[in-house]
Amino acid sequence: GPTRKMPLTASAMDFFQLFVPDNVLKNMVVQTNMYAKKYQERFGSDDAWIDVTLAEMKAFLGYMISTSIHHCESVLSIWSSGFYSNKSIALIMTQSRFEKILKYFHIVAFRSSQTTHSLYKIQPFLDSLQNGFDSAFRPSQAQVLHEPLIDEDPVFIATCTERELRKRKKRKFSLWVRQCSSTGFICQIYVHLREGSGADGLDALKNKPQLHSMVAKSLCQNASGKNYIIFTGPSITSLNLFEEFEKQEIYCCGLLSTRKSDCTGLPPSMLNNSATPQSRGQYRIRMKGNMSLICWYNKGHFRFLTNAYSPVQQGVIIKRKSGEIPCPLAVEAFAAHLSYICKYDDKYSKYFISHKPNKTWQQVFWFAISIAINNAYILYKMSEAYHVTRYSRAQFGERLVKELLGLEDTSPTH
């Protein structure tokens, strides 16, 4: 849970600033002004530009965050006369001023000679965000490694023509997280840039076990020695990775797939489906040291690799129609924790910022901001301030937008 007690009067802005404090926003102001100066020295002066202020930077973020609540396809819709127009906040800043800030917006204005990292324009922000996540929250023992649902708004996709979908650029990165499976709080973010220039570069990477092993190690680099139990999907699950984690006192439970997983070192007899028909709930086990490979049948064969649960401990899967299905405890735990993450995706994925910039670092930035707001809301729900005001996720987002725009006092109304 939270590592610090927030006051009863804590506002949405107070929770957001646990991860994006004023010093980070001031740095954005400095870097944006530096970039604007450099840009104009190179391409000619821009008479319409005046240096951005901290208040304007907060308003700029507020406008962007508002797209996560109202799901408008373009942030510029706020100033339009259409369905997504918002006169109450449009008066704070003119559209032309907003577009100027958007044009010059930067987190790192200059590339140093030592920089080789492709994400250098956003890495300082990601590092600061990670420090905020680490200092504000202590995760539970059980955590999940996965790719959060950050795809396009499903309503927009459903109404899109095939031609419009083809015109939209594919993301050039994959975003992975380590997430507390008891609360949904995202403890760590890892961004992997697509390698190669092929159109299917990202899809090709999804079938590389060595990539996913590298992702898992990066996400768990601060987890060693804490006895965490990490749940993984088929692309990450492998015997070699789990054995390496066990040496660091990190224990695992993962779903195994003969098609997607690295099955090196596993007994072939357990990877082949048995010819004799099986009844639901039956399972086979093979053990080596602390590691167990479980093959469980439920309308199909499901394989689990774990060193976190004893294979002889019994559990149960409860289905609405078929009732209770017996299974090893590892299978029950995996299903419970993964179902929580599915609920998290259903609830929070629709609150990702809708703005879709062309630059990869900006796409990563807005995804990271969206995750920070979701985390802020989770902390708010676990605080005493929630019992005073009880905002929904949408109401929390609206309060944050108004506070960033300076439309409301930062203390909530009682």
Side-chain angles (χ1 to χ4, degrees), residues 150-388:
I150 54 173
D151 290 327
E152 307 287 357
D153 177 24
V155 176
F156 171 76
I157 290 297
T159 57
C160 233
T161 64
E162 193 176 335
R163 186 174 168 218
E164 285 173 322
L165 283 174
R166 277 201 307 268
K167 281 169 66 180
R168 296 179 72 80
K169 293 187 177 180
K170 284 189 176 181
R171 282 190 285 117
K172 295 182 179 179
F173 63 92
S174 56
L175 190 145
W176 296 75
V177 299
R178 175 164 57 87
Q179 188 167 14
C180 170
S181 59
S182 300
T183 60
F185 188 94
I186 288 177
C187 309
Q188 193 164 349
I189 300 171
Y190 178 80
V191 180
H192 180 82
L193 292 179
R194 185 169 71 185
E195 295 168 0
S197 55
D200 60 342
L202 190 58
D203 297 327
L205 283 177
K206 287 184 178 177
N207 298 319
K208 288 185 177 179
Q210 66 272 25
L211 164 70
H212 296 107
S213 176
M214 180 195 75
V215 168
K217 289 173 187 175
S218 298
L219 285 171
C220 294
Q221 61 189 357
N222 299 326
S224 58
K226 297 181 180 177
N227 287 313
Y228 287 153
I229 297 175
I230 304 292
F231 292 88
T232 62
S235 60
I236 291 178
T237 304
S238 79
L239 179 62
N240 291 335
L241 179 67
F242 283 14
E243 286 177 337
E244 193 173 329
F245 275 168
E246 188 173 357
K247 293 173 186 173
Q248 303 171 36
E249 296 179 45
I250 302 171
Y251 302 93
C252 305
C253 180
L255 182 63
L256 197 69
S257 162
T258 53
R259 188 169 57 88
K260 293 182 179 178
S261 305
D262 178 6
C263 296
T264 309
L266 298 174
S269 60
M270 292 290 286
L271 301 176
N272 299 321
N273 297 336
S274 58
T276 55
Q278 290 182 289
S279 58
R280 295 177 74 176
Q282 280 191 316
Y283 58 89
R284 295 178 291 147
I285 299 167
R286 287 287 295 273
M287 292 182 67
K288 181 184 177 184
N290 293 330
M291 201 71 66
S292 308
L293 176 57
I294 302 165
C295 183
W296 177 67
Y297 184 81
N298 177 26
K299 290 187 178 179
H301 290 88
F302 295 88
R303 294 171 180 84
F304 297 87
L305 188 65
T306 182
N307 56 5
Y309 297 93
S310 165
V312 296
Q313 282 187 285
Q314 292 295 305
V316 67
I317 300 284
I318 300 173
K319 297 285 186 182
R320 283 183 188 171
K321 293 183 179 178
S322 49
E324 294 184 352
I325 304 167
C327 65
L329 183 61
V331 179
E332 181 189 339
F334 185 90
H337 291 294
L338 264 291
S339 69
Y340 185 92
I341 297 307
C342 290
K343 288 177 186 173
Y344 173 91
D345 281 344
D346 290 343
K347 181 173 182 178
Y348 290 103
S349 63
K350 60 186 176 186
Y351 294 110
F352 277 82
I353 291 168
S354 301
H355 177 65
K356 298 291 184 293
N358 289 330
K359 293 174 182 175
T360 298
W361 73 265
Q362 289 188 6
Q363 292 174 20
V364 173
F365 175 77
W366 296 119
F367 282 135
I369 287 284
S370 301
I371 287 171
I373 299 169
N374 286 340
N375 277 354
Y377 181 68
I378 289 168
L379 290 188
Y380 161 70
K381 283 197 76 174
M382 297 172 76
S383 74
E384 293 179 0
Y386 178 70
H387 300 293
V388 176

Side-chain angles (χ1 to χ4, degrees), residues 122-140:
I122 194 177
Q123 197 59 52
F125 176 75
L126 294 178
D127 293 341
S128 169
L129 204 59
Q130 187 59 55
N131 290 335
F133 291 169
D134 292 341
S135 62
F137 184 81
R138 186 176 59 254
S140 64

